[in-house]
């Protein structure tokens, strides 16, 4: 009997976990759970005889893959798969998939929620500002970016988008102003919401030069990955651009050094963009179905390696 391990240091909501178990067991497979595990060694020990894994931001590196000789498929229940060593997986014929779009509304709602929290001075009762009429620049117009655009329009914001992989027509159809150069997005918009993946091209790409183009009171919103930010540049922007604000769902490495900017910086206590009952359910059950379809029908839709 195939064994499917749901390895989630940050567990799914119970209803989602129950549904995942149901899908896996109905298909005739065994479903095992490893949640809130104390260290990476616990994950390595748990994969010894599993055929499939469902993960979130859990690290599946070469050590994990080497420790799992029966592993055939890893599904990242979510969008970003920078936590999986694709080369190590491919070398062992392990299929890696994600579940694109399944948690994107949750992330988008958090981005707008954090913006409101920041412009209303962390809800401290003092006079803040509004989003209506302001310009938001969506950096990467994928699944999350599209939801951000829709919600931002509801707030009455002017929406701009930059994405080298998306056509002008596709953005304009959604009522989004197409921006050809990333520099123009940063110089034109009061808010920039990041939705780029973390990869070799994007790591540290949000740097001093780009951020310095933002208006004096610009706000950077990061519900993507800490790795895309050049933190030396970020610290310099905080020091030099006195009205600059940063809200983030991903803890920067330089967190301690941002302490002095407490009124211009806000971070969620734990990455929680995708932490909703709906997103857990959508992404978790999609992952379970993808595994069943892979084993039963050899379906490799959503394969990323
Ligand atoms: C994603 O890439 O899907 C999001 O960053 C959510 O990550 P999480 O499942 O670890 O919350």
């Amino acid at each position: 009997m195939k064994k499917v391990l749901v390895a989630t240091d940050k567990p799914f909501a119970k209803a989602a976990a129950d549904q995942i178990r149901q899908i896996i067991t109905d298909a005739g497979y065994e479903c095992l759970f490893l949640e809130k595990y104390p260290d990476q060694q616990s994950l390595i020990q748990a994969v010894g005889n599993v055929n499939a894994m469902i993960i979130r931001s859990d690290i599946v590196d070469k050590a994990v893959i080497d420790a799992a000789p029966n592993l055939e498929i890893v599904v990242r229940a979510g969008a970003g798969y920078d936590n999986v060593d694709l080369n190590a997986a491919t070398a062992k014929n392990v299929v890696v998939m994600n579940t694109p779009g399944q948690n994107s509304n949750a992330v988008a709602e958090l981005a707008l929620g954090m913006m409101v929290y920041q412009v209303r001075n962390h809800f401290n009762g003092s006079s803040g500002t509004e989003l209506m009429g302001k310009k938001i620049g969506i950096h990467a117009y994928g699944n999350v970016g599209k939801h951000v655009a829709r919600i931002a329009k509801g707030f009455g914001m002017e929406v701009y988008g930059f994405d080298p992989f998306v056509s002008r027509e596709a953005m304009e159809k959604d009522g989004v102003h197409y921006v050809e150069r990333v520099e123009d997005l940063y110089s034109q918009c009061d808010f920039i919401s990041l939705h780029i993946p973390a990869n070799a091209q994007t790591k540290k790409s949000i740097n001093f030069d780009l951020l310095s183009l933002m208006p004096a009171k610009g706000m950077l919103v990061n519900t993507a990955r800490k790795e895309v930010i050049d933190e030396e540049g970020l610290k310099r922007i905080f020091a030099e651009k006195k009205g600059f604000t940063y809200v983030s769902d991903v803890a920067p490495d330089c967190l301690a050094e941002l302490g002095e900017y407490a009124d211009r910086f806000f971070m969620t206590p734990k990455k929680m963009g995708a932490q909703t009952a709906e997103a857990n359910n959508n992404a978790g059950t999609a992952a379970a179905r993808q595994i069943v379809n892979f084993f039963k029908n050899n379906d490799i839709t959503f394969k990323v390696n």
Side-chain angles (χ1 to χ4, degrees):
M1 187 194 278
K2 302 266 193 205
K3 290 183 196 307
V4 180
L5 176 69
V6 181
T8 47
D9 187 42
K10 186 171 54 185
F12 290 119
K14 186 177 177 309
D18 288 347
Q19 284 228 57
I20 293 168
R21 185 185 291 105
Q22 190 77 49
I23 293 168
I24 303 291
T25 52
D26 282 356
Y29 310 138
E30 190 181 349
C31 188
L32 310 158
F33 281 83
L34 176 72
E35 295 179 328
K36 287 191 195 167
Y37 47 91
D39 50 31
Q40 191 64 5
Q41 203 50 38
S42 315
L43 179 60
I44 289 173
Q45 276 161 12
V47 298
N49 59 1
V50 306
N51 305 96
M53 293 173 74
I54 295 176
I55 56 161
R56 296 185 64 179
S57 291
D58 307 80
I59 306 294
V60 174
D61 55 10
K62 187 170 181 308
V64 173
I65 288 165
D66 286 347
N70 302 333
L71 190 62
E72 296 168 68
I73 177 167
V74 176
V75 182
R76 194 281 190 240
Y81 45 86
D82 46 305
N83 48 323
V84 181
D85 184 334
L86 296 187
N87 291 332
T90 306
K92 291 276 168 82
N93 283 327
V94 175
V95 168
V96 181
M97 295 184 186
N98 65 350
T99 65
Q102 299 290 349
N103 60 16
S104 40
N105 181 64
V107 178
E109 286 190 12
L110 183 74
L112 273 293
M114 292 197 305
M115 285 164 57
V116 172
Y117 185 70
Q118 183 63 39
V119 296
R120 293 302 187 96
N121 305 327
H122 302 177
F123 299 160
N124 69 4
S126 67
S127 196
T129 56
E130 300 180 19
L131 299 183
M132 190 162 78
K134 308 285 173 16
K135 293 179 178 164
I136 182 169
I138 299 179
H139 190 163
Y141 197 67
N143 290 309
V144 183
K146 285 183 186 137
H147 282 295
V148 170
R150 172 182 54 78
I151 301 167
K153 279 194 281 174
F155 273 98
M157 301 186 82
E158 261 187 69
V159 183
Y160 293 75
F162 168 79
D163 191 324
F165 305 103
V166 177
S167 69
R168 175 185 292 274
E169 292 70 36
M171 280 193 206
E172 289 181 348
K173 192 166 70 59
D174 293 347
V176 173
H177 301 283
Y178 177 82
V179 179
E180 239 172 70
R181 294 173 62 245
V182 69
E183 291 81 6
D184 295 335
L185 191 81
Y186 281 71
S187 63
Q188 281 171 32
C189 295
D190 307 292
F191 298 83
I192 294 287
S193 193
L194 294 175
H195 304 294
I196 47 178
N199 57 36
Q201 288 74 46
T202 62
K203 282 183 184 169
K204 290 187 192 275
S205 64
I206 311 306
N207 53 26
F208 178 81
D209 289 348
L210 207 47
L211 294 173
S212 62
L213 298 172
M214 290 189 76
K217 292 194 172 171
M219 183 189 298
L220 181 68
V221 183
N222 189 358
T223 53
R225 292 290 183 272
K226 71 171 182 184
E227 288 83 0
V228 302
I229 307 280
D230 173 5
E231 295 195 2
E232 287 310 309
L234 179 72
K235 286 186 287 183
R236 201 173 145 202
I237 280 291
F238 263 110
E240 292 184 16
K241 208 186 261 286
K242 304 290 181 202
F244 172 81
T245 52
Y246 180 47
V247 293
S248 182
D249 188 35
V250 284
D253 291 331
C254 65
L255 183 57
E257 289 157 87
L258 298 187
E260 64 180 291
Y261 306 113
D263 55 335
R264 295 197 276 137
F265 170 64
F266 165 73
M267 197 194 79
T268 53
K270 198 168 185 176
K271 184 179 170 213
M272 53 171 279
Q275 271 305 50
T276 65
E278 294 88 343
N280 285 179
N281 206 54
N282 294 343
T285 59
R289 282 193 301 272
Q290 285 172 217
I291 286 173
V292 172
N293 266 328
F294 172 73
F295 284 142
K296 296 215 185 280
N297 308 317
N298 210 15
D299 185 342
I300 51 166
T301 314
F302 305 121
K303 183 173 182 276
V304 295
N305 65 332

